[in-house]
Short mmCIF file of all heavy atoms in Angstrom, two decimals:
data_model
loop_
_atom_site.label_atom_id
_atom_site.label_comp_id
_atom_site.label_asym_id
_atom_site.label_seq_id
_atom_site.Cartn_x
_atom_site.Cartn_y
_atom_site.Cartn_z
N ASN J 20 -7.32 -2.55 -3.58
CA ASN J 20 -8.46 -1.82 -4.11
C ASN J 20 -8.33 -1.96 -5.62
O ASN J 20 -7.25 -1.73 -6.16
CB ASN J 20 -8.42 -0.33 -3.70
CG ASN J 20 -9.70 0.40 -4.07
OD1 ASN J 20 -10.43 -0.02 -4.97
ND2 ASN J 20 -9.98 1.48 -3.39
N GLU J 21 -9.41 -2.36 -6.28
CA GLU J 21 -9.27 -2.62 -7.71
C GLU J 21 -9.10 -1.33 -8.51
O GLU J 21 -8.71 -1.36 -9.66
CB GLU J 21 -10.46 -3.43 -8.23
CG GLU J 21 -11.76 -2.68 -8.22
CD GLU J 21 -12.94 -3.64 -8.37
OE1 GLU J 21 -13.28 -4.27 -7.37
OE2 GLU J 21 -13.47 -3.75 -9.47
N LYS J 22 -9.41 -0.23 -7.87
CA LYS J 22 -9.18 1.05 -8.53
C LYS J 22 -7.68 1.32 -8.56
O LYS J 22 -6.98 1.14 -7.56
CB LYS J 22 -9.91 2.13 -7.73
CG LYS J 22 -9.69 3.52 -8.23
CD LYS J 22 -10.93 4.05 -8.95
CE LYS J 22 -10.79 5.53 -9.26
NZ LYS J 22 -10.08 5.85 -10.47
N GLY J 23 -7.17 1.76 -9.71
CA GLY J 23 -5.74 2.01 -9.86
C GLY J 23 -5.33 3.36 -9.29
O GLY J 23 -6.13 4.29 -9.22
N GLY J 24 -4.09 3.45 -8.85
CA GLY J 24 -3.50 4.73 -8.48
C GLY J 24 -4.06 5.38 -7.22
O GLY J 24 -3.98 6.59 -7.06
N VAL J 25 -4.62 4.60 -6.33
CA VAL J 25 -5.23 5.18 -5.12
C VAL J 25 -4.25 5.25 -3.94
O VAL J 25 -4.60 5.74 -2.86
CB VAL J 25 -6.50 4.42 -4.68
CG1 VAL J 25 -7.60 4.57 -5.73
CG2 VAL J 25 -6.21 2.96 -4.40
N GLY J 26 -3.04 4.71 -4.14
CA GLY J 26 -2.05 4.75 -3.06
C GLY J 26 -1.85 3.41 -2.36
O GLY J 26 -1.37 3.38 -1.22
N LYS J 27 -2.16 2.32 -3.05
CA LYS J 27 -1.95 0.99 -2.45
C LYS J 27 -0.47 0.73 -2.17
O LYS J 27 -0.10 0.41 -1.04
CB LYS J 27 -2.45 -0.12 -3.40
CG LYS J 27 -3.94 -0.18 -3.58
CD LYS J 27 -4.34 -1.31 -4.51
CE LYS J 27 -3.96 -1.07 -5.96
NZ LYS J 27 -4.67 0.02 -6.63
N SER J 28 0.35 0.85 -3.21
CA SER J 28 1.77 0.52 -3.03
C SER J 28 2.43 1.49 -2.06
O SER J 28 3.23 1.08 -1.20
CB SER J 28 2.50 0.55 -4.39
OG SER J 28 1.88 -0.35 -5.27
N THR J 29 2.10 2.76 -2.18
CA THR J 29 2.65 3.77 -1.27
C THR J 29 2.31 3.40 0.18
O THR J 29 3.16 3.47 1.07
CB THR J 29 2.03 5.14 -1.61
OG1 THR J 29 2.28 5.42 -2.99
CG2 THR J 29 2.60 6.24 -0.75
N THR J 30 1.06 3.02 0.39
CA THR J 30 0.62 2.69 1.75
C THR J 30 1.26 1.40 2.24
O THR J 30 1.73 1.32 3.38
CB THR J 30 -0.92 2.61 1.78
OG1 THR J 30 -1.44 3.88 1.40
CG2 THR J 30 -1.43 2.24 3.16
N ASP J 51 2.24 -7.73 -7.17
CA ASP J 51 1.75 -7.04 -8.35
C ASP J 51 2.83 -7.17 -9.43
O ASP J 51 3.99 -6.80 -9.17
CB ASP J 51 1.52 -5.56 -7.98
CG ASP J 51 1.02 -4.72 -9.15
OD1 ASP J 51 1.01 -5.21 -10.30
OD2 ASP J 51 0.64 -3.57 -8.90
N GLN J 53 3.57 -5.36 -11.67
CA GLN J 53 4.20 -4.06 -11.94
C GLN J 53 5.45 -3.83 -11.08
O GLN J 53 6.28 -3.00 -11.40
CB GLN J 53 3.23 -2.91 -11.62
CG GLN J 53 2.02 -2.82 -12.51
CD GLN J 53 1.15 -1.60 -12.12
OE1 GLN J 53 1.29 -0.54 -12.68
NE2 GLN J 53 0.28 -1.78 -11.13
N SER J 55 5.84 -2.29 -8.29
CA SER J 55 6.00 -0.91 -7.77
C SER J 55 6.52 -0.88 -6.34
O SER J 55 7.33 -0.02 -6.00
CB SER J 55 4.67 -0.15 -7.80
OG SER J 55 3.82 -0.61 -8.78
N HIS J 59 9.83 1.02 -5.12
CA HIS J 59 9.69 2.06 -4.09
C HIS J 59 10.76 1.89 -3.00
O HIS J 59 11.15 2.84 -2.33
CB HIS J 59 8.29 1.96 -3.50
CG HIS J 59 7.82 3.17 -2.77
ND1 HIS J 59 6.53 3.60 -2.78
CD2 HIS J 59 8.48 4.06 -1.98
CE1 HIS J 59 6.42 4.69 -2.05
NE2 HIS J 59 7.59 4.98 -1.55
N ASP J 136 0.93 -6.12 -0.97
CA ASP J 136 0.47 -5.08 -1.92
C ASP J 136 -0.10 -5.76 -3.15
O ASP J 136 0.58 -6.52 -3.82
CB ASP J 136 1.66 -4.19 -2.31
CG ASP J 136 1.26 -3.11 -3.30
OD1 ASP J 136 0.11 -2.62 -3.22
OD2 ASP J 136 2.10 -2.73 -4.15
N CYS J 137 -1.37 -5.49 -3.45
CA CYS J 137 -2.03 -6.12 -4.59
C CYS J 137 -2.04 -5.21 -5.82
O CYS J 137 -1.88 -4.01 -5.72
CB CYS J 137 -3.48 -6.46 -4.24
SG CYS J 137 -3.64 -7.69 -2.94
N SER J 138 -2.30 -5.82 -6.96
CA SER J 138 -2.45 -5.05 -8.20
C SER J 138 -3.87 -4.51 -8.28
O SER J 138 -4.76 -4.96 -7.56
CB SER J 138 -2.14 -5.95 -9.40
OG SER J 138 -3.16 -6.90 -9.53
N PRO J 139 -4.09 -3.52 -9.15
CA PRO J 139 -5.44 -2.95 -9.26
C PRO J 139 -6.36 -3.84 -10.09
O PRO J 139 -6.74 -3.47 -11.19
CB PRO J 139 -5.19 -1.61 -9.96
CG PRO J 139 -3.95 -1.83 -10.75
CD PRO J 139 -3.12 -2.82 -10.00
N ALA J 140 -6.70 -4.99 -9.58
CA ALA J 140 -7.57 -5.89 -10.33
C ALA J 140 -8.18 -6.87 -9.34
O ALA J 140 -7.59 -7.14 -8.30
CB ALA J 140 -6.76 -6.67 -11.35
N PRO J 158 -7.09 1.42 0.66
CA PRO J 158 -6.84 2.85 0.47
C PRO J 158 -7.91 3.41 -0.48
O PRO J 158 -8.22 2.79 -1.49
CB PRO J 158 -5.46 2.90 -0.21
CG PRO J 158 -4.91 1.52 -0.11
CD PRO J 158 -6.08 0.60 -0.03
N THR J 194 -6.79 8.47 1.18
CA THR J 194 -5.48 8.94 0.72
C THR J 194 -5.64 10.19 -0.15
O THR J 194 -6.76 10.52 -0.56
CB THR J 194 -4.77 7.86 -0.12
OG1 THR J 194 -5.59 7.53 -1.24
CG2 THR J 194 -4.52 6.60 0.69
N ARG J 195 -4.52 10.82 -0.46
CA ARG J 195 -4.52 12.04 -1.30
C ARG J 195 -5.60 13.01 -0.83
O ARG J 195 -6.33 13.58 -1.60
CB ARG J 195 -4.79 11.68 -2.76
CG ARG J 195 -3.79 10.74 -3.34
CD ARG J 195 -4.25 10.25 -4.68
NE ARG J 195 -3.11 10.01 -5.55
CZ ARG J 195 -2.46 10.96 -6.21
NH1 ARG J 195 -2.83 12.20 -6.17
NH2 ARG J 195 -1.41 10.64 -6.95
N PHE J 196 -5.67 13.14 0.48
CA PHE J 196 -6.73 13.94 1.09
C PHE J 196 -6.32 15.42 1.11
O PHE J 196 -5.22 15.76 1.58
CB PHE J 196 -6.97 13.44 2.52
CG PHE J 196 -8.03 14.20 3.27
CD1 PHE J 196 -9.37 14.01 2.96
CD2 PHE J 196 -7.69 15.09 4.26
CE1 PHE J 196 -10.35 14.71 3.64
CE2 PHE J 196 -8.67 15.79 4.95
CZ PHE J 196 -10.00 15.60 4.63
N ILE J 223 -4.53 10.30 4.88
CA ILE J 223 -3.18 10.62 4.43
C ILE J 223 -3.33 11.82 3.50
O ILE J 223 -4.00 11.73 2.46
CB ILE J 223 -2.56 9.44 3.64
CG1 ILE J 223 -2.67 8.11 4.40
CG2 ILE J 223 -1.13 9.78 3.24
CD1 ILE J 223 -1.86 8.00 5.65
N ARG J 224 -2.74 12.94 3.91
CA ARG J 224 -2.90 14.15 3.10
C ARG J 224 -2.13 14.09 1.78
O ARG J 224 -1.14 13.35 1.68
CB ARG J 224 -2.40 15.36 3.90
CG ARG J 224 -3.36 15.79 5.00
CD ARG J 224 -2.71 16.77 5.94
NE ARG J 224 -1.79 16.09 6.87
CZ ARG J 224 -1.13 16.72 7.84
NH1 ARG J 224 -1.25 18.01 8.00
NH2 ARG J 224 -0.32 16.03 8.64
N VAL J 225 -2.59 14.88 0.82
CA VAL J 225 -1.79 15.05 -0.41
C VAL J 225 -0.47 15.66 0.01
O VAL J 225 -0.46 16.65 0.75
CB VAL J 225 -2.45 16.05 -1.38
CG1 VAL J 225 -1.68 16.11 -2.69
CG2 VAL J 225 -3.89 15.72 -1.62
N ASN J 226 0.61 15.08 -0.43
CA ASN J 226 1.90 15.59 -0.01
C ASN J 226 2.94 15.23 -1.08
O ASN J 226 3.16 14.05 -1.37
CB ASN J 226 2.26 14.95 1.34
CG ASN J 226 3.55 15.49 1.93
OD1 ASN J 226 4.34 14.74 2.48
ND2 ASN J 226 3.81 16.76 1.79
N THR J 227 3.54 16.25 -1.67
CA THR J 227 4.47 15.97 -2.78
C THR J 227 5.67 15.14 -2.31
O THR J 227 6.23 14.39 -3.10
CB THR J 227 5.00 17.27 -3.42
OG1 THR J 227 5.43 18.14 -2.38
CG2 THR J 227 3.93 17.97 -4.23
N SER J 228 6.04 15.25 -1.04
CA SER J 228 7.17 14.44 -0.55
C SER J 228 6.90 12.95 -0.70
O SER J 228 7.83 12.15 -0.85
CB SER J 228 7.44 14.73 0.94
OG SER J 228 7.78 16.06 1.13
N ILE J 229 5.62 12.57 -0.65
CA ILE J 229 5.27 11.15 -0.76
C ILE J 229 5.62 10.64 -2.16
O ILE J 229 6.23 9.58 -2.32
CB ILE J 229 3.77 10.93 -0.43
CG1 ILE J 229 3.55 11.14 1.08
CG2 ILE J 229 3.30 9.55 -0.86
CD1 ILE J 229 2.10 10.99 1.53
N ALA J 230 5.24 11.41 -3.17
CA ALA J 230 5.54 11.01 -4.55
C ALA J 230 7.04 11.08 -4.82
O ALA J 230 7.60 10.20 -5.48
CB ALA J 230 4.77 11.89 -5.52
N GLU J 231 7.69 12.10 -4.29
CA GLU J 231 9.15 12.24 -4.45
C GLU J 231 9.87 11.04 -3.86
O GLU J 231 10.80 10.49 -4.45
CB GLU J 231 9.64 13.46 -3.68
CG GLU J 231 9.69 14.75 -4.44
CD GLU J 231 9.97 15.91 -3.47
OE1 GLU J 231 10.63 15.71 -2.41
OE2 GLU J 231 9.48 17.00 -3.79
N ALA J 232 9.46 10.65 -2.67
CA ALA J 232 10.12 9.54 -1.97
C ALA J 232 10.12 8.30 -2.85
O ALA J 232 11.16 7.64 -3.02
CB ALA J 232 9.42 9.26 -0.64
N ALA J 233 8.96 8.00 -3.44
CA ALA J 233 8.84 6.82 -4.30
C ALA J 233 9.81 6.93 -5.47
O ALA J 233 10.49 5.97 -5.83
CB ALA J 233 7.40 6.69 -4.81
N HIS J 234 9.88 8.13 -6.02
CA HIS J 234 10.76 8.37 -7.16
C HIS J 234 12.21 8.08 -6.81
O HIS J 234 12.98 7.55 -7.62
CB HIS J 234 10.58 9.82 -7.62
CG HIS J 234 11.45 10.19 -8.77
ND1 HIS J 234 11.16 9.77 -10.05
CD2 HIS J 234 12.60 10.91 -8.84
CE1 HIS J 234 12.10 10.23 -10.86
NE2 HIS J 234 12.98 10.93 -10.15
N GLY J 248 3.44 13.94 5.16
CA GLY J 248 3.30 12.54 4.73
C GLY J 248 3.85 11.58 5.79
O GLY J 248 3.23 10.56 6.10
N TYR J 252 1.59 8.89 7.82
CA TYR J 252 1.87 7.45 7.80
C TYR J 252 2.29 6.94 9.18
O TYR J 252 1.97 5.80 9.55
CB TYR J 252 2.87 7.09 6.69
CG TYR J 252 2.15 6.85 5.38
CD1 TYR J 252 2.31 7.69 4.29
CD2 TYR J 252 1.25 5.78 5.25
CE1 TYR J 252 1.61 7.49 3.11
CE2 TYR J 252 0.54 5.58 4.08
CZ TYR J 252 0.73 6.42 3.01
OH TYR J 252 0.01 6.21 1.85
N1 LIG Q 14 -0.76 11.18 -0.28
C1 LIG Q 14 -0.19 11.33 -1.48
N2 LIG Q 14 0.19 12.56 -1.90
C2 LIG Q 14 0.76 12.73 -3.11
N3 LIG Q 14 1.01 11.75 -3.98
C3 LIG Q 14 0.65 10.49 -3.63
C4 LIG Q 14 0.04 10.22 -2.36
N4 LIG Q 14 -0.19 8.88 -2.29
C5 LIG Q 14 0.24 8.36 -3.45
N5 LIG Q 14 0.75 9.31 -4.26
C6 LIG Q 14 1.29 9.13 -5.61
O1 LIG Q 14 0.22 8.67 -6.43
C7 LIG Q 14 0.70 7.73 -7.39
C8 LIG Q 14 -0.07 6.41 -7.23
O2 LIG Q 14 0.25 5.85 -5.97
P1 LIG Q 14 0.47 4.28 -5.80
O3 LIG Q 14 1.42 3.76 -6.83
O4 LIG Q 14 0.78 4.02 -4.39
O5 LIG Q 14 -0.99 3.77 -6.15
P2 LIG Q 14 -1.48 2.28 -6.40
O6 LIG Q 14 -2.88 2.20 -5.91
O7 LIG Q 14 -0.51 1.33 -5.84
O8 LIG Q 14 -1.44 2.20 -7.99
P3 LIG Q 14 -1.69 0.86 -8.86
O9 LIG Q 14 -3.16 0.67 -8.87
O10 LIG Q 14 -1.13 1.20 -10.21
O11 LIG Q 14 -0.97 -0.26 -8.20
C9 LIG Q 14 2.18 7.58 -7.14
O12 LIG Q 14 2.86 8.43 -8.02
C10 LIG Q 14 2.34 8.05 -5.70
O13 LIG Q 14 3.64 8.56 -5.45
#
Side-chain angles (χ1 to χ4, degrees):
N20 189 337
E21 68 196 78
K22 176 106 171 84
V25 295
K27 291 181 290 293
S28 302
T29 304
T30 299
D51 180 350
Q53 293 182 94
S55 333
H59 199 145
D136 179 33
C137 295
S138 69
T194 59
R195 301 170 148 280
F196 179 74
I223 309 292
R224 285 168 284 183
V225 185
N226 184 220
T227 48
S228 298
I229 289 179
E231 269 170 29
H234 179 75
Y252 273 113

